[in-house]
Amino acid sequence: MRQYDIVIIGAGPAGLAAAVAAFDDGARRILILERDREPGGILNQCIHNGFGLHTFKEELTGPEYADRFIKQVRERGIECRLNTMVMDIGVDSGRDANATREPSARPMKYVTAMSRADGMYQVAARTVILAMGCRERPRGALNIPGYRPAGIYSAGTAQRLVNMQGYLPGRRVVILGSGDIGLIMARRMTLEGAKVLVVAELMPYSGGLKRNIVQCLDDYGISLKLSHTVVDISGKERVESVTLAQVDENRRPIAGTEETYECDTLLLSVGLLPENELSAGLGVELSPVTSGPIVNESLETNVGGVFACGNVLHVHDLVDFVSEEAALAGKNAAAYVKRMEAAEGDAKEAEIEIEIKPLSGVRYTVPSHVRLARMQPEQVVRFRVGDVYKNCFIRAYLNGRQIASKKRPVMAPGEMEQLKLKKEQLLECVEPGTSSYCLEIRVEEK
Amino acid sequence: MSKRQLICIGCPLGCQMEAEQNEDGEIVSIKGNTCPRGDAYARKELTCPTRIVTSTVRVEGGMRHMVSVKTKEDVPKGKIFDCMGEIRKLAVAAPIAVGDVILPDIAGTGVALVATGNVDAR
Amino acid sequence: MYDVVIIGAGVSGSAIARELSRYRGKFCVLEKEEDVCCGTSKANSGIVHAGYDARPGSLMAKLNVEGNRRMKALSEELDFPFRQTGSYVVCMDKESRPKLEELFERGQKNGVEDLQILSYEEAVREEGNLSKDMDSVLYAPTAGIVCPFGLNIALAENAHTNGVEFRFDTEVLEIARQERGFVIKTSNGDYETRYVVNAAGVYADVFHNMVSADKIHITPRKGEYLLLDKSAAGQVSHTIFSLPGKYGKGILITPTAHGNLLAGPTATDIPDKEGTNTTAEGLASIFEKAGISVQSLSLRNVITSFAGLRAHEDGHEFIIKELEDAPGFIDCAGIESPGLTSAPAIGVMVAGMLQEKLNLVDNPGFEPRRKGILNPALLTMEERNRLIKGQPAYGNIICRCEMISEGEILDAIHRPLGAKSLDGVKRRTRAGMGRCQSGFCSPRVMEILHRELGIPMEELTKSGANSRMITGGRKEAAR
């Protein structure tokens, strides 16, 4: 069985950036496993522009952004196996990844993979970086009544058909959900000659970026109906019409507000779910809010040596932040390997632990806890809010002391927020003798 | 005087801006932007709005059937569908690499259409 | 001239065809859809009922118990998923106890084996999440779960391999009696036959009434269901029924043969024989009623909802007989629950009738065994590697939710009565049936169907007819 220091599951933006960062921090035996026939992940079908403003200070399309990282991975000679599906990841707690040390402190991971060329096989890994991305929520998750004809697509599936395969999945289109993929596909289908009749959004606000509403809907005169949902789908073979209705504050359809649109296609852009079946099989603890792993400051899960980054951890709206987050996971995996090689203990370092508690408007945070000894001088905490807030503050408190404050003119659930914590400030708040703390992050009006 | 609400598309922040124009259409003031790009965007949007157009072009003899493309720079908003009309008729031969010029001047805009993806030859 | 034409390639028609293929003769199945298992047979609970529900002495009772007894051997012979998991009928209050006892007695009379009435304490040992508020349960160890597609497809494939013809996209328009037998006018030509078997599900009354003065009436009774992700399946390990009410058996919660969790069905009589749409009220009522017998049942992780139509005949009894005023025409009508369970017995019964009438002799080439599509998940790593070495397509995962490989999909397409559409592939392999509901694999399955069958992408369908998947091709220049 081949042994690796770091096995990365997925060669999308997260996996690629993690690999590059791990390599640059000294890790060498790195393997990336990718199920698709080319690296790049979902970026390959995101042919629109708007990527890379933070990372490269220029506006790139998805494939161009991916190409930059693919080149970096190739330049470093990092092994990347394509067309390879990871079937399972297991931990052998009886066998130590560092054979000289006491068993189970840093257990070896076993990754079972399969491809046409190599059949089914296992590799051993000292660390694993989970970078599998996310999938789209299907119609069933929303319990939309009606028939089940052809012509109902999730927006990402339609995007693949149009952008990768060159087919138009419909000519008269209704879109449910104003997430970014839905907005992008409204424009894309319009450019390719389809008529997008309307975009309906269940919530009273859009789930997508503002710039996408301007560029994808306003530019093409496509109306966005907030607080609306699909209440019926007609057509036994192909979609014939879709009925929308307004919803009340409890998101229940209001009788009498129904409007029927004759169309042949319904695109759904109703949310993304981190794809964590492999993680769950490995025993990784998942957050009920994000459906992603619960991680510490190093983006390490409860299973030692297993890290997570990108959309498998929590759904992002900007790939730049995915790259940034993934680089951190890559660095930390490299550091883990180094510590193992130095036969360094873990126990003492983890003395002071700070739990980050999301409160009043903050839905979750990544990371959810911080080991002070392992914290970088500056720690980025990413999160989403549960509602639309205007002219509010994001503040962090530790031991009753405010340690960070940031004014935000507008916050919405569709846009990820971040707050930076300074290690020195945290150190000032801790007292001798106490090893566990709770740091509160909240939205405040004043 | 007339006021217009604009959302900056320069970056994902999406600053909400308000522009004031006088009777002659001259821009008197722009508020709400958080960086100079917002100001520039608003001025351009009010006088000569432009966009990058992204789409795909059919590939012959490649590992993939389509390659993604973009206009190398912004084109006038009013020219978007003219660009699409030309893009629709195009076909290119593999191999193609990021940055390859597919069409030097699309729809008379003077802007080149370039590949944004790689397609190896079959 | 055919000896027998069967109308309908659902589970009844396919079971009859399979049993008939034991004999020599010219047999044909006509199906208006593009594939087998497209009507009532595809959208039901997938339960193999023990047989305590039907009225003692009824044909329904007899065929239910007999079908149940035959299912296990049949599943081995024809290689389809079936598990004898047992069922619980939950009685919620003491006052209803007599109704539970009545079921028990009915079961005894019908010949159901090993029935027991259990107290809460006894039942909860085997089924930990039963509601604490319940009084008692009727436990039927002989009940089970079957993959309804698996059963129907296996029967049809085996029938076809043994010489029965199948005609798809062939809708019966008219049946006329002639001197010897019948002429059946279809959307796809005329078929002359000595015998007709009417196994047309919700349409059985239409065909019956074409040849008989003694009219029957079948009401489509809609049943809506919620299908949950496999992660929800651990909540129950038996099929859990509530004591029957006026309409059917109330909401049941059951694991499925493939490890999902199913909740449903509702029961609403509708006029439209094609009315397989789900409704807001129907889905809401499942959410409302599902948690009664199972405590803190979580219905999060619903991956899809669907509706099926039971062919309810006014007399609530299977009508399986040759018509007195139309000799040569055999009804197989009113096959509602427990129709799926009864199918193996219905097949034997109708084939037996035909054998007698037509003096059929044994088919010496009859092959009773059929091998289903390989499930690589059941192989060891070594076996799997051998498989992939010989057929690399088995190393290429297409449906990542259900982990279905290209090898399985190719098998589904190229085997007897192979898949021609996305739903055809789905019902045979489960590709697209998982938690993302085909979002990931449908473009890939489309490419495979296009490549293997030479169907242009623009002509590929979800389920035949006009259910085309895409409306435009690779840019204008491609034309």
Side-chain angles (χ1 to χ4, degrees):
Chain A
M1 191 187 306
R2 291 199 51 186
Q3 298 218 354
Y4 289 88
D5 287 341
I6 303 176
V7 172
I8 299 170
I9 320 294
L16 294 171
V20 168
F23 186 96
D24 291 351
D25 266 24
R28 283 300 172 270
R29 296 190 306 166
I30 304 172
L31 172 66
I32 312 176
L33 297 173
E34 166 57 44
R35 59 190 166 203
D36 219 328
R37 61 187 165 194
E38 54 195 348
I42 202 70
L43 287 176
N44 288 325
Q45 69 182 57
C46 298
I47 63 164
H48 53 282
N49 56 313
F51 299 87
L53 283 162
H54 289 252
T55 313
F56 298 110
K57 307 288 171 237
E58 59 182 304
E59 189 159 338
L60 302 172
T61 63
E64 290 173 306
Y65 187 95
D67 187 57
R68 302 256 170 129
F69 278 93
I70 294 166
K71 285 202 171 102
Q72 291 180 37
V73 165
R74 294 214 170 117
E75 279 161 16
R76 286 161 179 76
I78 298 169
E79 185 180 355
C80 180
R81 293 192 202 162
L82 302 174
N83 296 308
T84 300
M85 179 66 82
V86 172
M87 312 293 286
D88 184 52
I89 313 171
V91 186
D92 187 347
S93 48
R95 278 174 66 178
D96 200 272
N98 186 358
T100 59
R101 294 197 45 84
E102 69 272 21
S104 83
R106 289 187 177 115
M108 201 64 158
K109 272 65 78 181
Y110 295 92
V111 179
T112 309
M114 189 170 82
S115 72
R116 289 178 75 105
D118 301 318
M120 201 171 185
Y121 58 91
Q122 280 193 325
V123 295
R126 286 172 150 176
T127 66
V128 169
I129 300 178
L130 305 171
M132 295 88 79
C134 57
R135 65 164 174 268
E136 298 179 278
R137 284 175 79 202
R139 168 193 179 183
L142 307 175
N143 298 304
I144 300 172
Y147 285 91
R148 301 193 299 152
I152 304 170
Y153 287 100
S154 60
T157 306
Q159 190 179 45
R160 184 182 167 91
L161 282 168
V162 176
N163 293 349
M164 308 285 283
Q165 290 174 279
Y167 297 109
L168 197 60
R171 299 217 173 261
R172 283 177 69 82
V173 185
V174 168
I175 299 179
L176 176 64
S178 61
D180 288 312
I181 315 173
L183 300 176
I184 293 289
M185 282 312 292
R187 173 176 65 184
R188 189 74 193 106
M189 297 286 284
T190 304
L191 287 177
E192 289 299 338
K195 172 81 187 153
V196 177
L197 302 171
V198 64
V199 176
E201 167 60 54
L202 179 69
M203 304 303 288
Y205 45 80
S206 163
L209 297 169
K210 276 178 235 116
R211 65 195 304 250
N212 283 336
I213 295 173
V214 175
Q215 296 186 99
C216 300
L217 302 188
D218 298 354
D219 273 9
Y220 299 93
I222 300 166
S223 65
L224 171 61
K225 291 195 166 235
L226 298 173
S227 298
H228 275 71
T229 193
V230 173
V231 293
D232 198 17
I233 300 169
S234 311
K236 287 163 192 173
E237 293 169 355
R238 176 86 196 191
V239 173
E240 284 165 14
S241 72
V242 165
T243 304
L244 301 182
Q246 203 180 328
V247 296
D248 63 20
E249 56 273 24
N250 298 316
R251 297 184 225 163
R252 275 193 298 257
I254 301 169
T257 63
E258 295 85 0
E259 271 181 294
T260 298
Y261 292 82
E262 273 178 40
C263 58
D264 60 17
T265 305
L266 172 65
L267 294 191
L268 300 172
S269 173
V270 292
L272 299 168
L273 288 170
E275 188 128 66
N276 275 296
E277 281 67 33
L278 284 172
S279 326
L282 174 62
V284 167
E285 199 184 328
L286 302 177
S287 153
V289 180
T290 61
S291 301
I294 292 171
V295 293
N296 62 23
E297 77 301 320
S298 304
L299 305 181
E300 188 180 8
T301 67
N302 62 309
V303 180
V306 175
F307 300 81
C309 53
N311 283 349
V312 82
L313 178 55
H314 57 149
V315 175
H316 293 63
D317 20 67
L318 290 184
V319 70
D320 302 77
F321 293 150
V322 168
S323 302
E324 197 181 298
E325 184 178 277
L328 182 64
K331 275 172 189 293
N332 286 317
Y336 183 100
V337 172
K338 265 186 219 164
R339 285 199 302 277
M340 253 171 72
E341 278 166 357
E344 204 180 290
D346 241 344
K348 273 179 245 132
E349 292 172 284
E351 265 178 351
I352 297 177
E353 186 150 327
I354 300 169
E355 186 200 346
I356 303 177
K357 214 170 188 177
L359 288 170
S360 67
V362 179
R363 293 186 61 228
Y364 72 90
T365 65
V366 167
S368 68
H369 52 287
V370 171
R371 296 170 300 177
L372 206 49
R374 282 284 157 73
M375 187 182 169
Q376 300 293 312
E378 193 173 76
Q379 175 84 43
V380 177
V381 178
R382 297 203 162 89
F383 57 91
R384 282 178 194 270
V385 293
D387 205 346
V388 176
Y389 294 94
K390 284 189 176 153
N391 294 316
C392 283
F393 295 85
I394 289 292
R395 293 203 177 105
Y397 298 90
L398 183 60
N399 260 1
R401 271 166 68 181
Q402 183 182 309
I403 53 163
S405 175
K406 181 177 172 186
K407 183 164 185 201
R408 298 286 291 122
V410 185
M411 288 190 291
E415 301 189 21
M416 191 180 281
E417 297 290 330
Q418 64 176 47
L419 190 67
K420 285 176 180 158
L421 300 179
K422 292 207 162 49
K423 186 173 183 174
E424 54 184 35
Q425 273 188 304
L426 265 56
L427 281 169
E428 281 171 24
C429 298
V430 300
E431 291 151 5
T434 313
S435 63
S436 84
Y437 292 86
C438 185
L439 186 150
E440 296 178 351
I441 296 191
R442 43 170 87 232
V443 178
E444 290 181 337
E445 282 183 17
K446 292 180 198 173
Chain B
M1 281 295 189
S2 69
K3 283 182 184 173
R4 237 184 98 180
Q5 305 294 322
L6 291 165
I7 295 172
C8 181
I9 63 169
C11 84
L13 269 185
C15 290
Q16 305 212 14
M17 303 184 290
E18 189 179 86
E20 264 187 307
Q21 283 172 291
N22 65 17
E23 284 73 20
D24 303 328
E26 283 169 38
I27 296 162
V28 180
S29 73
I30 291 165
K31 286 181 217 147
N33 53 308
T34 49
C35 80
R37 273 191 309 193
D39 187 274
Y41 168 77
R43 286 177 197 283
K44 208 166 86 175
E45 191 65 11
L46 293 173
T47 53
C48 159
T50 63
R51 296 287 186 268
I52 297 251
V53 177
T54 63
S55 184
T56 54
V57 166
R58 204 161 55 85
V59 178
E60 277 159 8
M63 291 297 286
R64 278 212 256 144
H65 297 291
M66 310 300 291
V67 64
S68 53
V69 295
K70 70 175 181 185
T71 55
K72 198 157 193 287
E73 280 129 39
D74 282 20
V75 297
K77 225 170 121 175
K79 286 275 191 181
I80 291 175
F81 281 96
D82 294 340
C83 291
M84 284 306 298
E86 288 203 12
I87 288 170
R88 208 161 286 145
K89 293 185 202 129
L90 289 171
V92 290
I96 301 149
V98 170
D100 285 358
V101 175
I102 308 276
L103 203 63
D105 173 8
I106 188 159
T109 57
V111 175
L113 186 73
V114 296
T116 58
N118 302 302
V119 181
D120 293 337
R122 194 157 46 211
Chain C
M1 183 80 158
Y2 286 96
D3 293 311
V4 181
V5 164
I6 298 166
I7 304 173
V11 73
S12 301
S14 299
I16 295 163
R18 193 264 178 169
E19 290 307 316
L20 207 48
S21 72
R22 292 177 186 274
Y23 307 107
R24 275 157 97 163
K26 203 164 148 51
F27 312 127
C28 182
V29 180
L30 305 180
E31 170 56 55
K32 76 180 165 74
E33 302 293 333
E34 55 111 29
D35 197 357
V36 303
C37 197
C38 281
T40 298
S41 303
K42 81 165 176 186
N44 53 68
S45 310
I47 305 293
V48 176
H49 295 276
Y52 46 74
D53 263 320
R55 181 173 48 79
S58 64
L59 187 59
M60 214 178 232
K62 177 175 170 266
L63 294 177
N64 181 347
V65 174
E66 193 189 326
N68 178 301
R69 282 196 196 124
R70 287 178 179 272
M71 197 62 82
K72 186 159 173 51
L74 192 65
S75 74
E76 283 158 12
E77 210 166 50
L78 297 181
D79 194 18
F80 59 84
F82 163 68
R83 284 193 285 145
Q84 203 147 38
T85 44
S87 70
Y88 283 7
V89 180
V90 177
C91 169
M92 289 306 293
D93 47 76
K94 252 203 163 60
E95 295 76 66
S96 306
R97 185 73 174 264
K99 273 162 95 184
L100 196 75
E101 279 155 8
E102 191 188 316
L103 274 188
F104 176 82
E105 278 154 32
R106 233 193 278 170
Q108 302 283 54
K109 283 186 191 145
N110 290 349
V112 180
E113 287 160 25
D114 304 328
L115 278 178
Q116 290 176 64
I117 289 187
L118 305 178
S119 66
Y120 168 75
E121 288 72 25
E122 289 167 316
V124 82
R125 255 179 260 150
E126 300 297 320
E127 190 61 79
N129 287 339
L130 282 178
S131 168
K132 286 196 180 64
D133 304 329
M134 58 160 264
D135 175 71
S136 49
V137 305
L138 176 65
Y139 173 44
T142 55
I145 47 184
V146 66
C147 170
F149 324 121
L151 169 60
N152 192 343
I153 290 165
L155 289 165
E157 274 183 25
N158 189 239
H160 185 61
T161 306
N162 286 314
V164 179
E165 295 171 31
F166 280 75
R167 297 274 181 273
F168 297 107
D169 295 309
T170 302
E171 184 176 359
V172 172
L173 306 171
E174 235 181 276
I175 305 171
R177 293 174 66 178
Q178 52 181 30
E179 207 171 318
R180 265 180 81 230
F182 300 84
V183 60
I184 301 173
K185 289 194 191 318
T186 76
S187 57
N188 207 3
D190 293 356
Y191 292 79
E192 285 186 321
T193 182
R194 295 169 69 190
Y195 271 79
V196 176
V197 176
N198 173 21
V202 290
Y203 289 95
D205 56 347
V206 175
F207 301 124
H208 169 104
N209 295 343
M210 279 182 187
V211 298
S212 174
D214 186 10
K215 306 296 181 196
I216 61 169
H217 177 240
I218 286 174
T219 308
R221 180 168 285 177
K222 186 188 291 194
E224 300 182 44
Y225 293 88
L226 300 176
L227 185 71
L228 279 75
D229 184 43
K230 288 178 174 175
S231 62
Q235 300 187 85
V236 298
S237 53
H238 302 79
T239 300
I240 313 286
F241 298 101
S242 302
L243 257 187
K246 187 178 162 212
Y247 279 124
K249 302 182 191 70
I251 301 292
L252 66 89
I253 312 288
T254 184
T256 70
H258 292 287
N260 295 81
L261 191 75
L262 185 70
T266 56
T268 317
D269 290 350
I270 59 165
D272 182 3
K273 289 183 192 290
E274 296 286 324
T276 54
N277 55 321
T278 55
T279 62
E281 306 75 46
L283 297 179
S285 83
I286 304 174
F287 279 103
E288 204 177 290
K289 291 182 195 166
I292 296 175
S293 53
V294 180
Q295 66 175 359
S296 57
L297 180 78
S298 166
L299 291 183
R300 286 183 69 203
N301 303 326
V302 171
I303 57 174
T304 190
S305 47
F306 62 88
L309 303 176
R310 293 96 119 180
H312 175 69
E313 199 278 326
D314 292 354
H316 186 56
E317 168 67 314
F318 293 162
I319 303 175
I320 302 178
K321 61 179 181 202
E322 187 172 359
L323 301 190
E324 277 171 26
D325 63 346
F329 190 101
I330 297 177
D331 262 341
C332 182
I335 311 299
E336 58 181 313
S337 179
L340 190 72
T341 313
S342 307
I346 292 173
V348 171
M349 177 179 170
V350 177
M353 290 162 68
L354 288 160
Q355 189 272 330
E356 209 170 286
K357 307 266 174 200
L358 288 157
N359 282 320
L360 298 172
V361 298
D362 283 356
N363 171 6
F366 177 72
E367 171 53 65
R369 303 193 78 81
R370 166 261 187 191
K371 195 84 203 93
I373 292 170
L374 179 75
N375 181 359
L378 300 176
L379 303 179
T380 65
M381 202 184 284
E382 288 70 33
E383 289 168 333
R384 204 153 174 174
N385 272 323
R386 268 199 302 280
L387 176 70
I388 295 168
K389 201 151 199 187
Q391 292 160 280
Y394 281 97
N396 183 22
I397 296 289
I398 299 294
C399 166
R400 64 191 188 190
C401 299
E402 296 292 314
M403 289 288 188
I404 307 301
S405 73
E406 188 180 347
E408 292 148 85
I409 294 169
L410 293 177
D411 187 358
I413 294 170
H414 294 301
R415 62 177 32 236
L417 304 180
K420 302 183 289 270
S421 65
L422 270 93
D423 280 358
V425 169
K426 180 167 86 170
R427 283 193 294 269
R428 283 169 181 77
T429 65
R430 303 187 51 72
M433 221 176 258
R435 48 180 70 93
C436 91
Q437 287 288 297
S438 85
F440 177 80
C441 68
S442 58
R444 290 160 175 86
V445 175
M446 285 162 69
E447 292 275 11
I448 296 172
L449 281 166
H450 161 67
R451 186 187 73 208
E452 295 298 315
L453 297 176
I455 305 172
M457 286 291 273
E458 291 87 338
E459 299 298 321
L460 275 180
T461 64
K462 178 173 183 284
S463 54
N466 295 316
S467 64
R468 289 189 185 83
M469 293 297 292
I470 55 175
T471 58
R474 287 200 176 113
K475 309 267 166 172
E476 263 68 0
R479 307 280 168 85

